[in-house]
């Protein structure tokens, strides 16, 4: 009974976000053909990679009916600490006077470990005290940002090329940061659909009581969600400092959590929990990227760009909710 | 001149994408009478009522109310016209007090100011009129579910409606409150109010209904006066086939003790409960709301902190602190609150089936095997679903319950605890669940079945544990089963002493 047309309809409905992305790209491209150049696409994706990776983290928190507002500040803290260990030996204003930079791989591991520890701490607070994730991570945001500023009151720059490899280098024509971005997409998608962890997060977001009765360790899973989220933030910090070549305690990663949450949301992750697709979030990231990059190319002023972004965020959720309501 | 019908719904059609929920049904309600609406889940009873109340708009058909054709666009219009409804699912505002809940959306005002004094007095008057013992200043959330339901009933009555729809009003009421509700219904009908009564409980229908309309699969099957019907006839009309065996309990050999509970206590909810459970046995648990049966199950399953006593399985003492550990030890619990702690609505049948036993599927997860196992249980339990990828919330209650049973069977438990396994599900699915439980016992599983339905608990159990307010007041063997006896020990702290053989 028209099964085929139903399948197509279902496919389009499930992937409507990609359709929106394509329309947006074409629309900007028609007005400004330079937008469609390979060079610009590389710039666009490199520009969104850091926020995108953070979105792949925060989508797990949102899926579990939580949120993570700490991301940007965690990134700042990780950024200043790793940067301080990765400054060139001959630089005059070294954070550690004298001394030599640590091997890049060690610095990166330290940075990721800091992220994991921070995530574990507030993950545990959320899981075991049951306070809302919004509150716990709002507090964490202030504390981490203050921590970054206490660690250093000025920007830390002149970082070694080996440390900057992930954020700055290219393999052939392709920036490493883009490779890392797509790798993180693949890993998130894998975690989400192919592992027990992913299924458990879906269950907790869908109905945490039922998840508990079904034998899921809700607390442990919640801690892992924020560990992952914070890990992504730390990786973002390493890419960001590598890309820009410096870490600034007051501004590195500022408001990145909001961009990440926006991308995850536009990508169809439901704030009432239980709905998330990695491919949707990828599209969400790219949509915001097209707006960030494309509207600049079209010389739209900054305020107008933000208005468009705001409308897209709100509009996408309205559409999603209607779509989900219809399935009842 | 008195009209014959206060409400006529004629040829109502309601379509949802892909489903024809109502295929031209008719319902005619006489004033001052109780009209029971019967049918299996999914038959279209609630949908029809939602069309009446303006929650849904019918695709076609006529609604004639009080002699005039009406089209309510929302509940407010229906309420203003004199049609109110008590919903099956309560929607209280738990942090506000009773009187604010009662007059929600229509608080009396003096100028711009809410008239709290009048609101309180009106509440008192209403409760007095209905002979209800509820404090209007109490926080709604502090009331028992049964009291909340009574407040909900009072609220519906307070609109001075001509038609009141009651959708499963007694599902969370105790016997005394049910009696009270029937008294209220009597008063209402005496004042010429028509009551549309939806319930699965046959005894209730035959106690209070004047007329009975039966739906099946969105179609009108019959409308009869209740006095011309009996239970068998009614069930046949509802399911469209003869239901010979509602409680297909087969005697099967009772094996060794699997689970032994010794002086189990959990705060004041469970006090010194002791029993043994054998392989192949169905142990019923009877009692009223608040008897501590659910709490006992939760304590065994690691959901509730144990304050005293011991639990042994296969002779070994257990120290279970979480459902995770309980499942590892071969215990499963099908909870009472299917929506609250059973199904994960947005997720597919597959995800809902495998979620309690994901370890089995390795890393990365073997999706093929997950699908195959789910399909196996869907078939074995005769679950009706378009596909195993359908979100579970789209299924009817009975089919959701079957998916959950499948979830637990997948964990291959030795002890299966089922808490009100057939609450709110239709007769057909109910009989299937009964025969399934019976079959599982036959395969050597040990089953604890908590049930508030006397015929169910008596029909299905090998032995019955009776509880009252946290205390175990007795254990009856099958030959001692007697509903009066059970009720007696379910309503007092007195202990049942077996007669000398």
């Amino acid at each position: 009974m028209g099964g085929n047309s139903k399948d197509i309809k279902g496919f389009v409905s499930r992937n409507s976000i990609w359709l929106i992305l394509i329309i947006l790209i074409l629309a900007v491209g028609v007005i400004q053909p330079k937008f469609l150049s390979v060079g610009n696409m590389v710039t666009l994706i490199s520009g969104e990679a850091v926020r995108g990776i953070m979105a792949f983290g925060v989508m797990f928190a949102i899926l579990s009916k939580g949120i993570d507002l700490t991301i940007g500040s965690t990134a700042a803290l990780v950024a200043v600490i790793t940067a301080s260990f990765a400054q060139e030996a001959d630089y005059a204003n070294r954070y550690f006077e004298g001394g030599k930079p640590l091997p890049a791989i060690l610095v990166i591991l330290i940075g990721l470990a800091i992220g994991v520890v921070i995530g574990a701490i507030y993950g545990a607070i959320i899981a075991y005290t049951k306070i809302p994730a919004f509150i716990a991570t709002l507090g964490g945001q202030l504390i981490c940002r203050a921590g970054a500023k206490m660690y250093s009151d000025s920007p830390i720059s002149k970082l070694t090329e080996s440390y900057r490899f992930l954020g700055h280098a290219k393999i052939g024509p392709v920036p490493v940061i883009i490779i890392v971005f797509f790798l993180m997409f693949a890993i998130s998608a894998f975690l989400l659909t192919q592992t027990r962890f992913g299924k458990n997060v879906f269950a907790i977001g869908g109905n945490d009581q039922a998840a508990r009765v079904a034998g899921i360790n809700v607390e442990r899973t919640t801690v892992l969600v924020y560990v992952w989220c914070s890990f992504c933030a730390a990786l973002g910090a390493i890419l960001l400092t590598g890309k820009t070549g410096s870490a600034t305690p007051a501004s590195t990663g500022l408001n990145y959590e909001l961009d990440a949450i926006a991308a995850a949301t536009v990508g169809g992750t439901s704030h009432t929990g239980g709905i998330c697709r990695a491919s949707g979030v990828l599209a969400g990231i790219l949509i915001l990227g097209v707006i960030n990059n494309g509207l600049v190319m079209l010389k739209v002023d900054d305020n107008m760009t933000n208005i468009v972004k705001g409308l897209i965020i709100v509009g996408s959720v309205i559409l999603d909710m209607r779509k989900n309501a219809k399935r009842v | 001149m008195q009209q014959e019908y206060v409400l006529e719904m004629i040829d109502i059609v309601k379509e949802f994408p892909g489903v024809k929920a109502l295929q031209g049904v008719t319902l005619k309600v006489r004033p001052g009478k109780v009209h029971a609406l019967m049918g299996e889940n999914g038959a279209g009873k609630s949908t029809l009522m939602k069309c009446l109340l303006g929650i849904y708009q019918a695709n076609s058909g006529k609604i004639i109310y009080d002699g005039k054709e009406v089209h309510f666009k929302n509940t407010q219009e229906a309420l203003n016209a004199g049609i109110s409804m008590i919903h099956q699912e309560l929607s209280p505002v738990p942090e506000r007090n009773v009187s604010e809940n009662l007059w929600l959306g229509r608080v009396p005002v003096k100028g711009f100011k809410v008239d709290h004094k009048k609101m309180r007095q009106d509440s008192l008057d209403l409760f007095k009129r209905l002979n209800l013992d509820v404090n209007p200043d109490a926080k709604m959330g502090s009331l028992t579910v049964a009291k909340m339901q009574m407040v909900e009933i009072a609220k519906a009555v307070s609109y001075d409606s001509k038609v009141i729809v009651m959708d499963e009003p007694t599902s969370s009421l105790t016997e005394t409150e049910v009696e009270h509700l029937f008294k209220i219904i009597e008063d209402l009908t005496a004042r010429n109010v028509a009551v549309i009564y939806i319930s699965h409980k046959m005894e209730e229908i035959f106690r209070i209904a004047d007329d009975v309309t039966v739906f099946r699969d969105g179609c009108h099957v019959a409308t009869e006066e209740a006095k011309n019907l009996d239970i068998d006839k009614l069930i046949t009309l509802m399911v469209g086939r003869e239901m010979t065996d509602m409680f297909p309990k087969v005697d099967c050999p009772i094996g060794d003790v699997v689970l032994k509970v010794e002086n189990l206590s959990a705060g004041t909810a469970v006090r010194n409960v002791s029993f043994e459970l054998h392989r192949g046995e169905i142990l019923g648990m009877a009692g009223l709301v608040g008897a501590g049966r659910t709490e006992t199950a939760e304590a065994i399953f690691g959901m509730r902190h144990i304050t005293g006593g011991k639990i042994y399985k296969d002779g070994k003492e257990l120290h279970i602190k979480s459902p995770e550990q309980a499942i590892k030890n071969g215990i499963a619990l099908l909870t009472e609150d299917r929506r609250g702690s059973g199904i994960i609505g947005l997720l597919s049948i597959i995800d809902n089936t495998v979620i309690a036993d994901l370890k089995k599927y390795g890393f990365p997860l073997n999706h093929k095997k997950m699908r195959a196992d789910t399909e196996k249980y869907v078939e074995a339990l005769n679950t009706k679903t378009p596909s195993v990828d359908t979100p579970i919330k789209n299924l009817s209650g009975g089919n959701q319950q079957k998916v959950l049973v499948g979830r637990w069977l997948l964990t291959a438990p030795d002890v299966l605890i089922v808490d009100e396994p057939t609450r709110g599900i239709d007769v057909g699915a109910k009989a299937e669940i009964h025969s399934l439980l019976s079959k599982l016992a036959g395969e050597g599983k040990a089953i604890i079945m908590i049930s508030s339905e006397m015929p169910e608990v008596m029909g299905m159990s090998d032995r019955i544990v009776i509880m009252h307010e946290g205390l175990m007041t007795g254990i009856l063997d099958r030959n001692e089963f007697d509903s009066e006896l059970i009720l007696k020990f379910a309503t007092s702290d007195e202990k049942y002493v077996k007669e000398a053989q």
Side-chain angles (χ1 to χ4, degrees), chain B residues 445-458:
Chain B
K445 302 235 183 276
I447 296 173
I448 298 177
M449 187 184 73
I450 299 172
S451 172
S452 296
E453 260 186 74
M454 199 65 88
E456 178 172 84
V457 81
M458 287 181 34

Side-chain angles (χ1 to χ4, degrees), chain A residues 64-78:
Chain A
S64 74
K65 242 182 189 169
I67 193 81
D68 187 354
L69 301 176
T70 328
I71 297 170
S73 303
T74 302
L77 186 59
V78 171

Side-chain angles (χ1 to χ4, degrees), chain A residues 190 193-196 199-200 202-203 206-207 209-217 220 273-275 324 327-328, chain B residues 301 303 323-324 327 333 335 339-344 346-347 351 355-356 358-359 363-365 367 370 394 408:
Chain A
F190 180 84
T193 58
Q194 306 297 324
T195 67
R196 270 163 63 199
K199 291 279 175 200
N200 289 349
F202 270 105
N207 183 345
Q209 275 305 316
R212 191 184 304 278
V213 173
I216 294 170
N217 188 326
R220 191 173 59 211
I275 304 176
N324 292 328
R327 281 199 223 127
V328 175
Chain B
F301 195 62
M303 287 169 72
E324 195 183 7
I327 294 168
L333 170 63
T335 55
R339 273 170 202 249
S341 56
I343 64 165
I344 303 162
L346 291 165
L347 302 189
D351 286 338
I355 195 69
L358 276 177
K359 282 191 188 93
F363 175 89
L365 292 170
H367 283 83
M370 279 163 48
N394 292 6
W408 288 121

